Amino acid sequence: MRVLLIIFDGLADRPAPELDGKTPLEAARTPNLDRLAAEGINGLMHPKSPGYPLGSPLALHLMFGYPEDEFPDRGPLLASARGLSIAPGDVVLAARFASVEKQPDGRLRLLQRFIRGREQECTRLAGTIAKHEIDGLSFRYVYAGNGDGNLFITGGASFQITDTDPLGLDLPVLRSQPRLEASETPAARRSANALNQYLTWAHSQLATVAGQDDAAPINFLITKWAGPKPQYEPFAERWGMQAASLPDEEVVSGLMLELGFLVEQIEDAGLEADLRRRLTRARERLSDGHEFVHLHSKYPDPMSHDNEPLRVRDAIEALDAAMEAYGQLLAPDPDLITVLTTDHTTPSVWSHHPRGQFSDQHSGEEVPLVVRGGNVRVDGVKELGERAAASGALGHLRGEDFMPVLLNAAERANMWETRPTPARRLYRPRPDQIEPF
């Protein structure tokens, strides 16, 4: 059997007073999603462990069965998505233009973390900070558009350094430090100090370039997610399935490329039309020989980040309407296992955060999961929802359980205590992987 994995980014949420104490998913009218849940086996999942908020790439990394200490972090994954070559020994960070204001105590207060609609200015500024050397380390900034880019450090740098971007918290710009767990403390200390010096130099360079009238100055580069060149065992070798991905987020594209997925970009045509298009393309990919297709929709995550539960509910209803295409194109396939879940909880409700105000944060509640098709033990759950899924027969899973559950549902799992090949795998080996007597 083949597998279709549908990820609705940030689908899980918290109860909202505006929705009579229901989550947006529970409050939304979702006949198609409810039908999927009623025809499948349901449960709740922590991509890592209870209470840990994760972003999409780390959640998917763990769900696909890779250890957390092998996660390269988002900096190099973004570079991969942007087609930037990463050499062994490179340290790659995500680096975003920002606007800061110096305070009387010398700290830098963030005025803007997102610079949008100023491409010519950003391109010009990127050229002024493109290359610099400090303490034997070379810094190279590559602008990627929309205010974002990547910072490469070469010459013996360590990636075990902290972020300077506070990620939307009520904090000033942060000073980079060596991570406590750094295995090469001198190298990490040298790298953190050099990064701070580079950012100070970049700040001085950017401050000398005149900006647009009446616009916040673009005068700083905030950095985060430092990592090395990714070194992944291909997904197809780890799980025995040729895989394709239809991602809807840049960093997810980078992860899938590094995992060896065939990655196909689909231009966003609006929430409902976009999902219909992805479902249609998923069927085509499953028909052309791919055994595992990952479909990633960024919705309803943006509405949740804006802390607007009513808009989140409406986005989920639009997704459900588009899922009619699933019922028409994919549900009738008797050889298809469909898994629908989300990668994390994105709360649209915070106790001390105003509605309509952007928040970069996720939270650590479990997310609903449904597996439909084949010979799964259909349970009594009749709707897709956070609390409804709690009574499902799958129970409470963690990310490390995700792929074994999928392989088992797809009838691809091999008895664990058998050893038909030198490398121990959960899946039944293909004829070209065995050594006949």
Side-chain angles (χ1 to χ4, degrees), residues 20-104:
D20 298 324
K22 296 180 178 180
T23 70
L25 177 58
E26 292 169 337
R29 183 179 178 277
T30 54
N32 293 303
L33 294 175
D34 293 344
R35 186 177 303 111
L36 184 70
E39 293 174 353
I41 185 171
N42 297 261
L44 289 170
M45 178 179 65
H46 287 293
K48 176 177 165 61
S49 298
Y52 278 79
L54 302 184
S56 297
L58 178 54
L60 291 169
H61 169 102
L62 296 174
M63 290 162 61
F64 289 160
Y66 296 88
E68 186 175 357
D69 61 7
E70 293 182 6
F71 184 59
D73 223 317
R74 289 196 191 197
L77 294 180
L78 285 166
S80 294
R82 293 162 180 168
L84 303 177
S85 177
I86 305 173
D90 284 357
V91 172
V92 190
L93 301 88
R96 171 181 291 164
F97 280 127
S99 179
V100 302
E101 180 180 71
K102 193 168 186 176
Q103 301 298 290

Side-chain angles (χ1 to χ4, degrees), residues 37-38 40-44 369-371 379 381 383-384 388-389 391-395:
I41 185 171
N42 297 261
L44 289 170
L369 167 71
V370 57
V371 181
D379 53 32
V381 175
E383 62 185 53
L384 185 68
S391 62
L394 282 175

Side-chain angles (χ1 to χ4, degrees), residues 187-415:
R189 186 180 302 112
R190 173 189 177 214
S191 301
N193 289 338
L195 175 60
N196 291 324
Q197 293 178 58
Y198 169 80
L199 295 179
T200 299
W201 171 81
H203 180 45
S204 67
Q205 294 295 111
L206 296 173
T208 64
V209 182
Q212 297 178 354
D213 295 337
D214 301 324
I218 302 173
N219 58 4
F220 205 81
L221 199 66
I222 48 177
T223 60
K224 54 183 176 288
W225 301 322
K229 179 180 176 64
Q231 299 288 338
Y232 275 113
E233 178 185 38
F235 181 93
E237 292 182 18
R238 202 175 194 93
W239 299 111
M241 292 181 283
Q242 294 300 314
S245 176
L246 307 171
D248 193 18
E249 186 178 6
E250 189 177 38
V251 70
V252 173
S253 297
L255 174 65
M256 297 303 164
L257 286 167
E258 292 294 341
L259 290 174
F261 280 61
L262 175 71
V263 175
E264 180 178 352
Q265 302 295 341
I266 295 179
E267 186 176 350
D268 193 338
L271 192 158
E272 187 175 336
D274 180 74
L275 180 56
R276 289 181 185 273
R277 185 179 298 179
R278 290 177 191 278
L279 288 165
T280 300
R281 195 66 186 119
R283 184 186 66 166
E284 294 167 353
R285 283 296 175 197
L286 289 163
S287 298
D288 68 13
H290 288 91
E291 300 158 292
F292 184 100
V293 173
H294 158 258
L295 183 161
H296 195 106
S297 172
K298 184 59 182 170
Y299 302 104
D301 190 67
M303 295 80 176
S304 297
H305 278 300
D306 286 336
N307 295 294
E308 295 184 335
L310 298 180
R311 287 185 61 220
V312 178
R313 176 203 60 193
D314 294 346
I316 293 171
E317 290 186 349
L319 288 172
D320 184 83
M323 282 294 288
E324 289 181 5
Y326 168 81
Q328 297 163 358
L329 301 174
L330 293 153
D333 187 342
D335 294 320
L336 180 66
I337 294 294
T338 301
V339 185
L340 189 143
T341 187
T342 182
D343 41 5
H344 51 74
T345 295
T346 307
S348 59
V349 176
W350 296 88
S351 295
H352 305 290
H353 201 77
R355 298 290 192 268
Q357 186 178 105
F358 178 81
S359 167
D360 243 338
Q361 297 296 309
H362 296 162
S363 62
E365 292 90 349
E366 292 174 293
V367 302
L369 167 71
V370 57
V371 181
R372 176 200 179 274
N375 294 307
V376 301
R377 295 175 177 172
V378 176
D379 53 32
V381 175
K382 300 302 181 186
E383 62 185 53
L384 185 68
E386 295 89 345
R387 281 172 280 208
S391 62
L394 282 175
H396 299 260
L397 308 178
R398 298 197 184 188
E400 64 191 27
D401 304 318
F402 184 75
M403 286 303 300
V405 167
L406 265 62
L407 279 186
N408 185 64
E411 299 180 356
R412 287 175 171 266
N414 206 25
M415 287 185 63

